[in-house]
Amino acid sequence: MNTLSQKRAPQFNLKDWGLVILLVLLIVFFTIGSPNFLNFSNIRNILLQNAHVAIVSMAVAIIMISGGTDLSIGYQMALASVVSAKMMMSGVPFPVAILAALVITVICSTLNELFSLVLKGHTMIITLGTMSAYQGLAYIISNAQNFHNLPDSFLLLGQGRIAGVIPVNIIIMVVLFIITAVVLGCTHAGKKLYAVGDNPEAARLAGINVPRVKLVAFALAGVLTGIAAMVLTARTGNATATTGSGLEFTGITAAVLGGVSLKGGEGKLWRVIVAAYILGILSNGMQLIGLGTYPQYIAKGVVMLISIGLGNGVFSFRSRKKSK
């Protein structure tokens, strides 16, 4: 007597590689739509123009993995930008000005988590308050002025090229990605960060100092935020009290599209970088094919929804085999 038995069939899930597939599809689509899209200069421009976005997205991802949210990152960048620019224009050597910018963003970011611990509020609410404070400080220090004519040696961070081809800011982004990915994925500190974000109480019972881990996560994010501010300031060649404003939402978008959980404890850095460049390619490609501003909003929304579905494994294919 023959009996039919079902074996568990292999399942192809797009969760891990969905964003890469979407990236390839976008490249193919825009290449067909515009002959200029795959030009070397355009690809280089996409990489160059979104290097600081990728760095910000890494900072956002670290905070989100730890279970927090930081809405003040954009104005941390503005504050660091105007302070460093003002220092350089007053004759301070640019390495000292850059160091000052990093100190500012580390302090601002760490204060966000410290206020959260002391006031016992979620960092999303806390950073709504600090965002306003940092914005006010940036305007007061800059006196609403635009600082330009920055030193050429500083501008190399955002405008320089190695061998006349590879932008310096891309190299900075890649180096930061490698270091951050190693810290998150290959160190005991990285494992603690994921554990705290996934379940703070379980992490505490396991002997992990949860407040310390979160403070370190925000401090590390502050370093990345400061570097992103310097890269953006050097690329544009000027600093204002709005430098970096709104980038926190772009970073959050890239992190969520990249699969970082809003609850914390989950996320892969490489997917966040891919998501950040998907957003950059969308903006660049839609401009090249002549898509109007408002249709661009619709297209971005549709692509984001699709990428969320791909990232969360909504689309999967199963094949079942029957055997006698």
Side-chain angles (χ1 to χ4, degrees):
M1 184 174 179
N2 295 332
T3 59
L4 292 176
S5 63
Q6 275 192 341
K7 294 183 178 179
R8 174 168 285 185
Q11 177 175 317
F12 176 65
N13 198 318
L14 296 180
K15 183 174 182 179
D16 288 331
W17 297 102
L19 282 178
V20 176
I21 294 172
L22 179 61
L23 179 65
V24 172
L25 290 176
L26 285 175
I27 291 173
V28 171
F29 175 77
F30 288 129
T31 299
I32 294 173
S34 172
N36 295 322
F37 179 78
L38 267 189
N39 284 353
F40 175 77
S41 60
N42 187 55
I43 296 299
R44 185 176 60 187
N45 284 337
I46 292 174
L47 293 172
L48 186 151
Q49 293 169 4
N50 292 281
H52 67 279
V53 177
I55 298 172
V56 169
S57 299
M58 286 190 276
V60 171
I62 290 172
I63 291 172
M64 289 178 63
I65 289 171
S66 74
T69 306
D70 193 341
L71 301 179
S72 70
I73 282 179
Y75 284 109
Q76 289 181 43
M77 292 178 64
L79 184 57
S81 181
V82 296
V83 168
S84 60
K86 201 168 184 177
M87 290 175 67
M88 284 185 281
M89 292 188 69
S90 65
V92 176
F94 82 90
V96 177
I98 291 174
L99 181 60
L102 297 184
V103 170
I104 287 170
T105 51
V106 169
I107 291 174
C108 288
S109 186
T110 306
L111 279 176
N112 289 337
E113 176 57 25
L114 190 60
F115 287 146
S116 176
L117 293 172
V118 173
L119 301 177
K120 301 186 184 303
H122 193 278
T123 48
M124 178 180 289
I125 306 302
I126 296 297
T127 55
L128 278 174
T130 57
M131 174 178 67
S132 180
Y134 299 153
Q135 179 184 15
L137 283 172
Y139 275 103
I140 290 171
I141 292 173
S142 67
N143 198 25
Q145 294 180 8
N146 185 345
F147 298 100
H148 49 82
N149 295 326
L150 301 176
D152 291 339
S153 51
F154 170 73
L155 296 179
L156 287 175
L157 291 176
Q159 301 176 14
R161 289 180 170 81
I162 302 297
V165 178
I166 306 174
V168 173
N169 63 352
I170 294 177
I171 295 175
I172 293 172
M173 184 270 292
V174 171
V175 171
L176 290 174
F177 165 72
I178 293 172
I179 294 172
T180 309
V182 169
V183 170
L184 289 180
C186 305
T187 67
H188 192 54
K191 293 177 182 178
K192 284 183 178 180
L193 182 66
Y194 278 97
V196 166
D198 182 53
N199 192 326
E201 182 60 21
R204 184 186 68 81
L205 294 174
I208 297 175
N209 188 325
V210 174
R212 181 188 297 171
V213 170
K214 289 194 172 187
L215 284 169
V216 170
F218 272 78
L220 179 57
V223 173
L224 293 172
T225 299
I227 295 173
M230 294 298 92
V231 168
L232 176 58
T233 302
R235 187 177 72 81
T236 58
N238 64 79
T240 69
T242 58
T243 297
S245 174
L247 277 175
E248 65 277 3
F249 296 109
T250 304
I252 290 172
T253 301
V256 172
L257 294 184
V260 178
S261 173
L262 290 171
K263 297 178 181 179
E266 182 181 353
K268 295 179 180 178
L269 203 62
W270 71 266
R271 290 176 61 182
V272 174
I273 300 299
V274 172
Y277 275 101
I278 283 177
L279 297 177
I281 286 173
L282 268 176
S283 296
N284 177 273
M286 287 188 293
Q287 290 175 10
L288 285 179
I289 64 176
L291 201 62
T293 301
Y294 300 122
Q296 283 188 36
Y297 293 151
I298 298 173
K300 283 183 179 180
V302 171
V303 171
M304 287 179 189
L305 290 173
I306 293 173
S307 60
I308 289 173
L310 291 171
N312 291 329
V314 172
F315 307 106
S316 59
F317 301 93
R318 297 181 182 181
S319 59
R320 293 182 177 177
K321 296 181 180 180
K322 295 181 179 181
S323 59
K324 294 184 180 182

